[in-house]
Structures are given as structure tokens and as C-alpha cells.
Coordinates of all heavy atoms in Angstrom, one line a residue:
M1 N 0.9 12.5 -11.8 CA 0.4 13.2 -10.6 C 0.5 12.1 -9.5 O 0.4 11.0 -9.7 CB -0.8 13.7 -10.8 CG -1.7 14.3 -9.6 SD -3.4 14.8 -9.9 CE -2.9 16.5 -10.1
V2 N 0.9 12.7 -8.3 CA 1.1 11.8 -7.2 C 0.1 12.2 -6.0 O 0.2 13.4 -5.7 CB 2.5 11.7 -6.6 CG1 2.6 10.6 -5.6 CG2 3.4 11.4 -7.8
L3 N -0.6 11.3 -5.5 CA -1.6 11.9 -4.4 C -1.5 10.9 -3.2 O -1.1 9.8 -3.3 CB -3.0 11.7 -4.9 CG -3.5 12.6 -6.0 CD1 -5.0 12.3 -6.5 CD2 -3.3 14.0 -5.8
H4 N -1.8 11.6 -2.0 CA -1.8 10.8 -0.9 C -3.3 11.0 -0.3 O -3.8 12.2 -0.2 CB -0.9 11.6 0.2 CG -1.0 11.0 1.6 ND1 -1.7 11.6 2.6 CD2 -0.3 9.9 2.0 CE1 -1.7 10.9 3.6 NE2 -0.8 9.8 3.5
F5 N -3.9 9.9 0.0 CA -5.1 9.8 0.7 C -5.1 9.2 2.1 O -4.3 8.2 2.2 CB -6.1 8.9 -0.2 CG -6.4 9.4 -1.6 CD1 -5.7 8.9 -2.7 CD2 -7.4 10.4 -1.8 CE1 -6.0 9.4 -3.9 CE2 -7.6 10.9 -3.1 CZ -7.0 10.3 -4.2
L6 N -5.9 9.8 3.0 CA -6.2 9.2 4.3 C -7.6 9.0 4.3 O -8.4 10.0 4.5 CB -5.6 10.1 5.4 CG -5.6 9.4 6.7 CD1 -4.7 8.2 6.9 CD2 -5.3 10.5 7.8
I7 N -8.1 7.8 4.4 CA -9.6 7.4 4.5 C -9.8 7.2 5.9 O -9.3 6.1 6.5 CB -9.8 6.2 3.6 CG1 -9.4 6.6 2.1 CG2 -11.3 6.0 3.4 CD1 -8.1 6.1 1.7
R8 N -10.9 7.8 6.4 CA -11.4 7.5 7.8 C -12.7 7.1 7.6 O -13.6 7.2 6.8 CB -11.4 8.9 8.5 CG -10.0 9.3 8.7 CD -9.9 10.6 9.6 NE -8.6 10.7 10.0 CZ -8.2 12.0 10.3 NH1 -9.0 13.0 10.3 NH2 -6.8 12.2 10.6
G9 N -13.1 6.1 8.7 CA -14.4 5.5 8.8 C -14.2 4.0 9.3 O -13.2 3.8 9.9
R10 N -15.2 3.2 8.9 CA -15.1 1.8 9.2 C -14.3 1.2 7.9 O -15.0 0.7 7.0 CB -16.3 1.1 9.4 CG -16.1 -0.3 9.8 CD -17.5 -1.0 10.2 NE -18.3 -0.8 9.2 CZ -19.5 -1.4 8.9 NH1 -20.0 -2.2 10.0 NH2 -20.3 -1.2 7.9
V11 N -12.9 1.2 7.9 CA -12.2 0.8 6.8 C -11.1 -0.3 7.1 O -10.5 -0.6 6.1 CB -11.6 2.1 6.2 CG1 -12.5 3.0 5.4 CG2 -10.6 2.9 7.1
Q12 N -11.1 -0.7 8.3 CA -10.3 -1.7 8.7 C -11.0 -2.9 9.1 O -12.2 -2.9 9.7 CB -9.2 -1.4 9.9 CG -8.3 -0.5 9.4 CD -7.1 -0.2 10.3 OE1 -7.0 -1.0 11.4 NE2 -6.3 0.8 10.2
G13 N -10.6 -4.2 8.6 CA -11.3 -5.5 8.8 C -12.5 -5.7 8.0 O -13.2 -6.6 8.3
V14 N -12.5 -4.9 6.9 CA -13.7 -5.1 6.0 C -13.2 -5.2 4.6 O -14.0 -5.0 3.6 CB -14.7 -3.8 6.1 CG1 -15.4 -3.8 7.4 CG2 -13.9 -2.6 5.8
G15 N -12.1 -5.6 4.4 CA -11.5 -5.8 2.9 C -11.3 -4.5 2.2 O -11.0 -4.6 1.0
F16 N -11.1 -3.4 2.9 CA -10.9 -2.1 2.1 C -9.6 -2.1 1.4 O -9.5 -1.6 0.2 CB -11.0 -1.0 3.2 CG -11.3 0.4 2.5 CD1 -12.5 0.8 2.2 CD2 -10.2 1.2 2.2 CE1 -12.7 2.0 1.6 CE2 -10.3 2.3 1.6 CZ -11.5 2.9 1.3
R17 N -8.5 -2.6 2.0 CA -7.2 -2.5 1.4 C -7.2 -3.4 0.1 O -6.7 -2.9 -0.9 CB -6.1 -3.0 2.3 CG -5.7 -2.1 3.5 CD -4.7 -2.7 4.3 NE -5.1 -3.9 4.7 CZ -4.2 -4.9 5.3 NH1 -2.9 -4.6 5.3 NH2 -4.7 -6.1 5.8
W18 N -7.9 -4.5 0.2 CA -7.9 -5.3 -1.1 C -8.8 -4.7 -2.2 O -8.5 -4.8 -3.3 CB -8.5 -6.8 -0.6 CG -7.5 -7.4 0.3 CD1 -7.7 -7.4 1.7 CD2 -6.4 -8.0 0.0 NE1 -6.6 -8.0 2.2 CE2 -5.8 -8.5 1.3 CE3 -5.7 -8.4 -1.1 CZ2 -4.7 -9.4 1.5 CZ3 -4.6 -9.1 -0.9 CH2 -4.0 -9.5 0.2
F19 N -9.9 -4.0 -1.7 CA -10.7 -3.3 -2.7 C -9.9 -2.2 -3.4 O -10.0 -2.1 -4.5 CB -11.9 -2.7 -1.9 CG -12.6 -1.7 -2.6 CD1 -13.6 -2.0 -3.7 CD2 -12.4 -0.3 -2.2 CE1 -14.3 -1.0 -4.2 CE2 -13.2 0.7 -2.9 CZ -14.0 0.3 -3.9
V20 N -9.1 -1.5 -2.7 CA -8.3 -0.4 -3.1 C -7.2 -1.0 -4.1 O -7.1 -0.6 -5.2 CB -7.6 0.5 -2.0 CG1 -6.7 1.5 -2.6 CG2 -8.5 1.1 -1.2
H21 N -6.6 -2.0 -3.7 CA -5.6 -2.8 -4.5 C -6.2 -3.2 -5.8 O -5.6 -2.9 -7.0 CB -5.1 -4.0 -3.9 CG -4.0 -4.8 -4.6 ND1 -4.4 -5.8 -5.4 CD2 -2.7 -4.5 -4.8 CE1 -3.3 -6.3 -6.1 NE2 -2.3 -5.6 -5.6
R22 N -7.4 -3.8 -5.8 CA -8.1 -4.3 -7.1 C -8.4 -2.9 -8.0 O -8.1 -3.0 -9.2 CB -9.3 -5.0 -6.8 CG -10.1 -5.5 -8.1 CD -11.4 -6.2 -7.9 NE -12.3 -5.0 -7.5 CZ -13.2 -5.1 -6.5 NH1 -13.3 -6.0 -5.7 NH2 -14.0 -4.0 -6.2
E23 N -9.0 -2.0 -7.3 CA -9.4 -0.8 -8.2 C -8.2 -0.2 -8.8 O -8.1 0.4 -10.0 CB -10.1 0.2 -7.2 CG -11.4 -0.3 -6.7 CD -12.5 -0.5 -7.8 OE1 -12.6 0.4 -8.6 OE2 -13.3 -1.5 -7.7
A24 N -7.1 0.1 -8.0 CA -5.9 0.8 -8.5 C -5.1 0.0 -9.5 O -4.7 0.4 -10.5 CB -4.9 1.0 -7.3
S25 N -5.2 -1.4 -9.3 CA -4.6 -2.2 -10.2 C -5.2 -2.3 -11.6 O -4.5 -2.3 -12.7 CB -4.4 -3.8 -9.7 OG -3.6 -3.7 -8.6
E26 N -6.6 -2.2 -11.6 CA -7.3 -2.2 -12.8 C -7.0 -0.9 -13.5 O -7.2 -0.9 -14.9 CB -8.8 -2.5 -12.4 CG -9.2 -3.8 -12.2 CD -10.7 -3.9 -11.7 OE1 -11.4 -2.9 -11.9 OE2 -11.0 -5.0 -11.5
L27 N -6.7 0.2 -12.9 CA -6.4 1.4 -13.5 C -4.9 1.6 -13.9 O -4.5 2.7 -14.3 CB -6.9 2.6 -12.6 CG -8.4 2.7 -12.3 CD1 -8.6 3.7 -11.1 CD2 -9.2 3.2 -13.7
N28 N -4.2 0.6 -13.6 CA -2.7 0.6 -13.9 C -1.9 1.8 -13.1 O -1.1 2.4 -13.6 CB -2.4 0.7 -15.4 CG -2.8 -0.6 -16.2 OD1 -2.6 -1.7 -15.6 ND2 -3.6 -0.3 -17.2
L29 N -2.5 1.9 -11.9 CA -1.8 3.0 -11.1 C -0.7 2.4 -10.3 O -0.6 1.1 -10.1 CB -2.8 3.5 -10.0 CG -4.0 4.2 -10.7 CD1 -5.1 4.6 -9.6 CD2 -3.5 5.5 -11.4
R30 N 0.3 3.1 -9.9 CA 1.4 2.7 -9.1 C 1.4 3.2 -7.6 O 0.6 4.4 -7.4 CB 2.8 3.2 -9.7 CG 3.0 2.6 -11.0 CD 4.4 3.2 -11.7 NE 4.1 4.6 -12.0 CZ 4.9 5.6 -11.5 NH1 6.0 5.3 -11.0 NH2 4.7 6.9 -12.0
G31 N 1.8 2.5 -6.7 CA 1.7 3.0 -5.4 C 1.4 1.9 -4.2 O 1.7 0.7 -4.6
W32 N 0.8 2.3 -3.2 CA 0.6 1.3 -2.1 C -0.6 1.8 -1.3 O -1.1 2.9 -1.2 CB 1.7 1.1 -1.2 CG 2.4 2.4 -0.7 CD1 3.6 3.1 -1.2 CD2 2.1 3.2 0.3 NE1 3.9 4.2 -0.6 CE2 2.9 4.3 0.6 CE3 1.0 3.1 1.4 CZ2 2.9 5.3 1.5 CZ3 1.0 4.1 2.4 CH2 1.9 5.2 2.4
V33 N -1.1 0.9 -0.4 CA -2.1 1.1 0.5 C -1.8 0.4 1.7 O -1.3 -0.7 1.7 CB -3.6 0.6 0.0 CG1 -3.6 -0.9 -0.4 CG2 -4.7 0.9 1.0
R34 N -2.1 1.0 3.0 CA -1.8 0.2 4.2 C -2.9 0.8 5.3 O -3.5 1.9 5.1 CB -0.5 0.5 4.6 CG -0.2 2.1 5.0 CD 1.3 2.1 5.4 NE 1.7 3.5 5.6 CZ 2.9 4.0 5.5 NH1 3.9 3.2 5.4 NH2 3.1 5.3 5.8
N35 N -2.9 0.0 6.3 CA -3.8 0.4 7.5 C -2.7 1.2 8.3 O -1.5 1.1 8.3 CB -4.1 -0.8 8.4 CG -5.3 -1.7 7.7 OD1 -6.0 -1.1 6.8 ND2 -5.3 -2.8 8.2
T36 N -3.4 2.1 9.1 CA -2.7 3.1 10.0 C -3.0 2.4 11.4 O -4.0 1.7 11.7 CB -3.0 4.5 9.9 OG1 -4.5 4.6 10.4 CG2 -2.9 5.0 8.6
E37 N -2.0 2.8 12.5 CA -2.3 2.4 13.9 C -3.6 3.1 14.4 O -4.3 2.6 15.4 CB -1.1 2.7 14.7 CG 0.1 1.9 14.3 CD 1.2 2.1 15.2 OE1 1.0 2.9 16.2 OE2 2.3 1.7 14.9
E38 N -4.1 4.2 13.8 CA -5.2 4.9 14.3 C -6.5 4.3 13.8 O -7.6 4.9 14.1 CB -5.0 6.5 13.8 CG -3.9 7.2 14.6 CD -2.6 6.9 13.9 OE1 -2.6 6.5 12.7 OE2 -1.6 7.1 14.6
G39 N -6.5 3.4 13.0 CA -7.8 2.8 12.4 C -8.1 3.3 11.0 O -9.2 2.9 10.6
D40 N -7.3 4.1 10.5 CA -7.5 4.7 9.0 C -6.9 3.7 8.0 O -6.1 2.9 8.3 CB -7.1 6.1 9.0 CG -7.7 7.0 10.0 OD1 -8.8 6.8 10.4 OD2 -7.0 7.9 10.5
V41 N -7.2 4.1 6.8 CA -6.3 3.5 5.6 C -5.7 4.7 4.9 O -6.1 5.7 4.5 CB -7.2 2.6 4.7 CG1 -6.6 2.3 3.5 CG2 -7.8 1.5 5.4
E42 N -4.3 4.5 4.5 CA -3.6 5.4 3.9 C -3.2 4.9 2.5 O -2.9 3.6 2.2 CB -2.3 5.6 4.7 CG -1.4 6.7 4.1 CD -0.2 7.0 5.2 OE1 0.3 5.9 5.8 OE2 0.5 7.9 5.0
V43 N -3.3 5.9 1.5 CA -2.9 5.4 0.1 C -2.0 6.4 -0.5 O -2.3 7.7 -0.4 CB -4.2 5.4 -0.8 CG1 -3.8 5.0 -2.2 CG2 -5.2 4.4 -0.2
V44 N -1.0 6.0 -1.1 CA 0.0 6.8 -2.0 C -0.2 6.3 -3.4 O 0.0 5.0 -3.5 CB 1.5 7.0 -1.4 CG1 2.3 7.7 -2.4 CG2 1.4 7.7 -0.1
V45 N -0.5 7.0 -4.3 CA -0.7 6.6 -5.8 C -0.3 7.5 -6.8 O -0.5 8.9 -6.7 CB -2.2 6.2 -5.8 CG1 -3.1 7.4 -5.7 CG2 -2.5 5.5 -7.1
A46 N 0.3 7.0 -7.8 CA 0.7 7.9 -8.9 C 0.1 7.3 -10.3 O 0.0 6.1 -10.4 CB 2.2 7.8 -9.1
G47 N -0.3 8.3 -11.1 CA -0.9 8.0 -12.4 C -1.4 9.1 -13.1 O -1.2 10.2 -12.6
E48 N -2.2 9.0 -14.1 CA -2.7 10.0 -15.0 C -4.0 10.6 -14.2 O -4.7 9.9 -13.4 CB -3.3 9.4 -16.3 CG -2.1 8.9 -17.1 CD -1.1 10.0 -17.5 OE1 -1.5 11.2 -17.8 OE2 0.0 9.6 -17.4
T49 N -4.3 11.8 -14.3 CA -5.3 12.6 -13.7 C -6.6 11.9 -13.7 O -7.4 11.6 -12.8 CB -5.4 14.1 -14.2 OG1 -4.2 14.6 -14.0 CG2 -6.6 14.8 -13.4
E50 N -7.1 11.4 -14.9 CA -8.4 10.8 -15.2 C -8.4 9.5 -14.2 O -9.5 9.3 -13.7 CB -8.7 10.4 -16.5 CG -10.0 9.9 -16.9 CD -10.2 9.7 -18.4 OE1 -9.9 10.6 -19.2 OE2 -10.9 8.7 -18.6
D51 N -7.4 8.7 -14.3 CA -7.4 7.4 -13.5 C -7.5 7.7 -12.1 O -8.1 7.0 -11.4 CB -6.2 6.6 -13.9 CG -6.1 6.1 -15.3 OD1 -7.3 5.9 -15.9 OD2 -5.0 6.0 -15.9
L52 N -6.7 8.9 -11.6 CA -6.8 9.1 -10.2 C -8.1 9.6 -9.8 O -8.6 9.3 -8.8 CB -5.7 10.2 -10.0 CG -4.2 9.7 -10.1 CD1 -3.3 10.8 -10.0 CD2 -3.9 8.6 -9.0
N53 N -8.9 10.3 -10.7 CA -10.3 10.7 -10.5 C -11.1 9.5 -10.3 O -12.0 9.4 -9.3 CB -10.8 11.5 -11.6 CG -10.0 13.0 -11.6 OD1 -9.6 13.5 -10.6 ND2 -10.1 13.6 -12.6
D54 N -10.9 8.5 -11.1 CA -11.7 7.2 -11.0 C -11.4 6.6 -9.6 O -12.3 6.1 -9.0 CB -11.4 6.3 -12.1 CG -11.9 6.8 -13.5 OD1 -12.8 7.6 -13.5 OD2 -11.5 6.3 -14.5
L55 N -10.1 6.4 -9.2 CA -9.7 5.9 -7.9 C -10.4 6.7 -6.8 O -11.0 6.1 -5.8 CB -8.3 5.8 -7.7 CG -7.9 5.0 -6.5 CD1 -8.3 3.7 -6.3 CD2 -6.4 5.2 -6.2
R56 N -10.4 8.0 -6.9 CA -11.1 8.8 -5.8 C -12.4 8.6 -5.7 O -13.0 8.4 -4.5 CB -10.8 10.4 -6.2 CG -11.3 11.3 -5.1 CD -11.3 12.7 -5.6 NE -9.8 13.2 -5.8 CZ -9.2 13.5 -7.0 NH1 -9.9 13.3 -8.1 NH2 -8.1 13.8 -6.9
A57 N -13.2 8.3 -6.8 CA -14.5 8.0 -6.7 C -14.8 6.7 -6.1 O -15.7 6.5 -5.2 CB -15.2 8.0 -8.1
S58 N -13.8 5.6 -6.3 CA -14.0 4.4 -5.7 C -13.7 4.5 -4.2 O -14.4 3.8 -3.5 CB -13.0 3.5 -6.5 OG -13.2 3.2 -7.7
L59 N -12.8 5.2 -3.8 CA -12.5 5.5 -2.5 C -13.8 6.1 -1.7 O -14.0 5.6 -0.4 CB -11.3 6.3 -2.3 CG -9.9 5.8 -2.7 CD1 -8.9 6.9 -2.6 CD2 -9.5 4.5 -2.1
R60 N -14.3 6.9 -2.4 CA -15.6 7.5 -1.6 C -16.6 6.5 -1.5 O -17.3 6.4 -0.5 CB -16.0 8.7 -2.5 CG -15.2 9.9 -2.4 CD -15.9 11.1 -2.8 NE -14.9 12.3 -2.7 CZ -14.4 13.1 -3.8 NH1 -14.8 12.6 -5.1 NH2 -13.6 14.1 -3.6
R61 N -16.8 5.6 -2.4 CA -17.8 4.6 -2.5 C -17.5 3.5 -1.4 O -18.4 3.1 -0.7 CB -17.9 4.0 -3.9 CG -19.1 3.0 -4.1 CD -19.2 2.4 -5.5 NE -18.0 1.6 -5.8 CZ -17.2 1.9 -6.7 NH1 -17.2 3.0 -7.3 NH2 -16.2 1.1 -6.9
G62 N -16.2 3.0 -1.4 CA -15.8 2.2 -0.4 C -16.1 0.7 -0.8 O -16.8 0.4 -1.8
S63 N -15.6 -0.3 -0.1 CA -15.9 -1.7 -0.3 C -17.2 -2.0 0.4 O -17.7 -1.3 1.2 CB -14.7 -2.4 0.2 OG -14.6 -2.4 1.7
R64 N -17.7 -3.2 0.0 CA -18.8 -3.6 0.6 C -18.5 -3.9 2.1 O -17.5 -4.5 2.5 CB -19.0 -5.0 -0.1 CG -20.4 -5.6 0.5 CD -20.7 -6.8 -0.3 NE -21.8 -7.6 0.3 CZ -22.4 -8.5 -0.3 NH1 -22.1 -8.8 -1.6 NH2 -23.4 -9.1 0.3
G65 N -19.3 -3.4 3.0 CA -19.1 -3.6 4.4 C -18.2 -2.4 5.1 O -18.2 -2.3 6.3
S66 N -17.8 -1.6 4.2 CA -17.0 -0.4 4.8 C -17.9 0.8 5.0 O -19.0 0.7 4.3 CB -15.9 -0.1 3.8 OG -16.3 0.5 2.7
R67 N -17.4 1.9 5.6 CA -18.2 3.1 5.7 C -17.1 4.2 5.6 O -16.4 4.2 6.5 CB -18.9 3.2 7.0 CG -19.8 4.5 7.1 CD -20.4 4.8 8.5 NE -19.4 5.2 9.4 CZ -18.9 4.4 10.4 NH1 -19.5 3.3 10.7 NH2 -17.9 4.8 11.2
V68 N -17.2 5.0 4.6 CA -16.1 6.1 4.5 C -16.7 7.3 5.0 O -17.7 7.7 4.5 CB -15.7 6.2 3.0 CG1 -14.9 7.4 2.8 CG2 -15.2 4.9 2.4
D69 N -16.1 7.8 6.1 CA -16.7 9.1 6.8 C -15.9 10.2 6.1 O -16.7 11.3 6.1 CB -16.5 9.0 8.2 CG -17.4 8.0 9.0 OD1 -18.4 7.6 8.3 OD2 -16.9 7.4 10.0
N70 N -14.8 10.2 5.8 CA -13.9 11.2 5.5 C -12.7 10.9 4.7 O -12.1 9.8 5.1 CB -13.6 12.2 6.7 CG -12.9 13.4 6.4 OD1 -13.2 14.0 5.4 ND2 -12.1 13.9 7.3
I71 N -12.3 11.7 3.7 CA -11.0 11.4 3.0 C -10.2 12.6 3.0 O -10.8 13.8 2.5 CB -11.3 11.0 1.5 CG1 -12.1 9.6 1.5 CG2 -10.0 10.9 0.7 CD1 -12.6 9.2 0.2
L72 N -9.1 12.7 3.5 CA -8.2 13.8 3.4 C -7.3 13.4 2.3 O -6.7 12.3 2.0 CB -7.3 13.9 4.6 CG -8.1 13.9 6.0 CD1 -7.1 14.0 7.1 CD2 -8.8 15.3 5.9
E73 N -7.0 14.5 1.4 CA -6.3 14.3 0.2 C -5.2 15.4 0.0 O -5.4 16.6 0.4 CB -7.1 14.4 -1.0 CG -6.5 14.3 -2.4 CD -7.4 14.3 -3.6 OE1 -8.6 14.1 -3.4 OE2 -6.9 14.7 -4.7
H74 N -3.9 15.0 -0.3 CA -2.8 16.0 -0.5 C -2.2 15.7 -1.9 O -2.0 14.4 -2.1 CB -1.9 16.0 0.7 CG -2.4 16.3 2.0 ND1 -2.9 15.4 2.7 CD2 -2.7 17.6 2.4 CE1 -3.3 16.0 3.8 NE2 -3.1 17.3 3.8
T75 N -1.7 16.5 -2.5 CA -0.9 16.4 -3.8 C 0.5 16.2 -3.3 O 1.1 17.1 -2.6 CB -1.1 17.4 -4.8 OG1 -2.5 17.5 -5.2 CG2 -0.3 17.2 -6.0
L76 N 1.3 15.3 -3.8 CA 2.6 15.2 -3.4 C 3.5 15.6 -4.6 O 3.0 15.8 -5.8 CB 3.0 13.7 -3.1 CG 2.2 13.1 -1.9 CD1 2.8 11.7 -1.7 CD2 2.5 13.9 -0.7
D77 N 4.8 15.9 -4.3 CA 5.8 16.3 -5.4 C 6.0 15.2 -6.4 O 5.9 14.0 -5.9 CB 7.1 16.5 -4.8 CG 8.0 17.2 -5.7 OD1 8.8 16.5 -6.4 OD2 8.0 18.5 -5.9
E78 N 6.1 15.4 -7.6 CA 6.2 14.4 -8.7 C 7.5 13.4 -8.4 O 7.4 12.3 -8.8 CB 6.5 15.1 -10.0 CG 5.2 15.5 -10.6 CD 4.2 14.4 -11.0 OE1 4.5 13.4 -11.5 OE2 2.9 14.6 -10.8
S79 N 8.5 13.9 -7.7 CA 9.6 13.1 -7.4 C 9.2 11.9 -6.5 O 9.9 10.8 -6.5 CB 10.7 13.9 -6.7 OG 10.3 14.4 -5.5
E80 N 8.2 12.1 -5.9 CA 7.6 10.8 -5.0 C 7.3 9.7 -5.9 O 7.4 8.5 -5.4 CB 6.4 11.2 -4.2 CG 6.7 12.3 -3.1 CD 7.5 11.8 -2.0 OE1 7.6 10.7 -1.7 OE2 8.2 12.6 -1.4
A81 N 6.9 9.8 -7.1 CA 6.5 8.7 -8.1 C 7.7 7.8 -8.4 O 7.6 6.6 -8.7 CB 6.0 9.3 -9.3
A82 N 9.0 8.4 -8.2 CA 10.2 7.5 -8.7 C 10.3 6.3 -7.9 O 10.8 5.2 -8.3 CB 11.3 8.4 -8.6
S83 N 9.9 6.3 -6.6 CA 10.0 5.1 -5.8 C 8.7 4.2 -5.8 O 8.8 3.1 -5.1 CB 10.2 5.6 -4.3 OG 9.1 6.3 -3.7
L84 N 7.8 4.5 -6.7 CA 6.5 3.7 -6.5 C 6.5 2.7 -7.8 O 6.9 3.0 -8.9 CB 5.3 4.6 -6.7 CG 5.2 5.7 -5.6 CD1 3.9 6.6 -5.9 CD2 4.8 4.9 -4.3
D85 N 6.2 1.5 -7.3 CA 6.2 0.3 -8.5 C 4.7 0.1 -8.6 O 3.9 0.7 -8.2 CB 7.0 -0.9 -7.8 CG 8.4 -0.6 -7.7 OD1 9.0 0.1 -8.5 OD2 9.0 -0.9 -6.7
A86 N 4.5 -1.2 -9.1 CA 3.2 -1.7 -9.3 C 2.5 -1.7 -7.9 O 3.0 -1.8 -6.9 CB 3.1 -3.2 -9.7
F87 N 1.2 -1.3 -7.9 CA 0.4 -1.2 -6.7 C 0.4 -2.4 -5.9 O 0.2 -3.4 -6.2 CB -1.1 -0.7 -7.1 CG -1.8 0.0 -5.9 CD1 -1.6 1.4 -5.9 CD2 -2.5 -0.5 -5.1 CE1 -2.2 2.1 -4.8 CE2 -3.0 0.1 -4.0 CZ -2.9 1.4 -3.9
R88 N 0.5 -2.1 -4.6 CA 0.6 -3.2 -3.6 C 0.1 -2.8 -2.2 O -0.3 -1.7 -2.0 CB 2.2 -3.6 -3.5 CG 2.9 -2.6 -2.6 CD 4.4 -2.9 -2.6 NE 5.2 -2.3 -1.6 CZ 5.6 -1.1 -1.9 NH1 5.5 -0.4 -3.0 NH2 6.3 -0.4 -1.0
I89 N -0.2 -3.9 -1.5 CA -0.7 -3.7 -0.2 C 0.4 -3.9 0.8 O 1.1 -4.9 0.8 CB -1.9 -4.8 0.2 CG1 -3.0 -4.7 -0.7 CG2 -2.3 -4.6 1.7 CD1 -3.9 -5.8 -0.6
Q90 N 0.7 -2.9 1.7 CA 1.7 -3.0 2.7 C 1.1 -3.6 3.8 O 0.1 -3.3 4.3 CB 2.3 -1.5 2.9 CG 3.2 -1.0 1.8 CD 3.8 0.4 2.2 OE1 3.5 0.9 3.3 NE2 4.8 0.6 1.4
G91 N 2.0 -4.4 4.4 CA 1.6 -5.0 5.8 C 0.6 -6.2 5.5 O 0.0 -6.7 6.5
A92 N 0.4 -6.7 4.3 CA -0.6 -7.8 4.2 C 0.4 -9.3 4.2 O 1.6 -9.1 3.9 CB -1.2 -7.8 2.8
W93 N -0.3 -10.2 4.5 CA 0.5 -11.5 4.6 C 0.7 -12.0 3.3 O -0.1 -12.1 2.5 CB -0.3 -12.4 5.5 CG -0.4 -12.0 6.9 CD1 0.4 -12.3 7.8 CD2 -1.5 -11.3 7.5 NE1 0.1 -11.8 9.0 CE2 -1.3 -11.1 8.8 CE3 -2.6 -10.6 6.8 CZ2 -1.9 -10.4 9.7 CZ3 -3.5 -9.8 7.7 CH2 -3.0 -9.7 9.1

């Protein structure tokens, strides 16, 4: 299963991408996380349904110092998974 999340709230400048990276990596998920120019955080992730449910719960909880106001979620076509490797942060130094 491949999912796209857009997380809105106070999610930039509070370690949210690093939090998502840690959570997704522990679940052996593939994909990426990045900041958007609008101040949100975007995630594309592939894995087993149960692991994705665990990640979804973590996204709702958020990192320490963050505030998650809203999460938009879309299911992507399975073919999107072909281009996804080990979970990574895009745009990080």
C-alpha cells in the first residue's frame, strides 16, 4: 500500500521531519518526508497496512513541540512504490 500524507499545523522548525523519519524507519517503511513551501509537511510512504496504521497514529500524535491540526491522506497507485527506497528526509542537510 502507498499513502500520501499532508500534515498541517506547527510542523516546521520543531523536528517533525526527523520524528517522521525515525518512526517510519523503525517500521521498515519506504518513502520520504519533506517540508512544503506552504509550511506543511508532506509524506509519501509504502508498506504493510498495519505498519502504515502505526505511522498514521504517530503522525497524529506529532513530535515534541509540534502541533498537528489536520492530516490530509490519499491512497496512491501501487506503481508509485517502485521508485521508493529506504525512508529518507528530502531537503535535509
Side-chain angles (χ1 to χ4, degrees):
M1 177 177 261
V2 185
L3 297 176
H4 174 265
F5 294 100
L6 187 66
I7 302 99
R8 294 186 168 154
R10 188 176 55 171
V11 292
Q12 289 192 13
V14 292
F16 195 86
R17 289 179 302 159
W18 299 97
F19 165 77
V20 174
H21 179 267
R22 185 187 72 227
E23 297 292 316
S25 296
E26 287 178 2
L27 293 167
N28 294 314
L29 297 171
R30 296 176 294 132
W32 50 262
V33 59
R34 68 181 174 199
N35 287 339
T36 70
E37 290 182 11
E38 294 79 22
D40 304 323
V41 170
E42 182 178 22
V43 178
V44 171
V45 63
E48 298 298 321
T49 301
E50 184 175 320
D51 296 329
L52 292 168
N53 288 338
D54 289 346
L55 181 65
R56 183 184 295 109
S58 294
L59 294 177
R60 285 190 182 120
R61 184 177 70 248
S63 64
R64 184 176 171 163
S66 70
R67 185 191 73 244
V68 176
D69 294 336
N70 189 24
I71 299 177
L72 302 175
E73 178 180 336
H74 298 94
T75 302
L76 301 178
D77 191 271
E78 283 294 321
S79 64
E80 297 286 334
S83 65
L84 300 176
D85 296 321
F87 202 88
R88 69 185 192 280
I89 299 172
Q90 289 188 347
W93 296 270

